[in-house]
Amino acid sequence: MTIFKPLDGVPISKKILLTKEEAAEMLSMSVSKINRLMQDEAIPVKRIGGLVRFHRDQLNAWALNISNAEGESDGE
């Protein structure tokens, strides 16, 4: 028995830590692309025991930095 309630059905925007699949959905990428970025240590990842999780806010910041590094304008 666990004291934690399952979070199925909770929108990604309400979660703090995301699975690979949720991170891929949030970033509009494939899970295999997430795996390649993890292998290259190019994406912020949290390892908790044997689990791999992504902090939603860190992924947002990472995605904004990638966009700006690739020459996309943020409107300024």
Side-chain angles (χ1 to χ4, degrees), residues 3-55:
I3 61 171
F4 300 105
K5 294 180 182 177
L7 293 177
D8 296 341
V10 175
I12 289 174
S13 63
K14 299 289 184 186
K15 292 184 177 183
I16 296 172
L17 295 176
L18 308 176
T19 64
K20 279 194 260 188
E21 293 78 11
E22 291 167 336
E25 180 181 338
M26 179 183 140
L27 297 171
S28 300
M29 295 180 176
S30 66
V31 174
S32 60
K33 176 67 175 178
I34 295 289
N35 286 329
R36 283 192 299 275
L37 290 167
M38 285 175 52
Q39 186 175 14
D40 295 341
E41 297 181 2
I43 193 168
V45 63
K46 302 280 185 197
R47 295 187 188 276
I48 306 167
L51 302 175
V52 173
R53 294 293 183 261
F54 300 86
H55 192 282

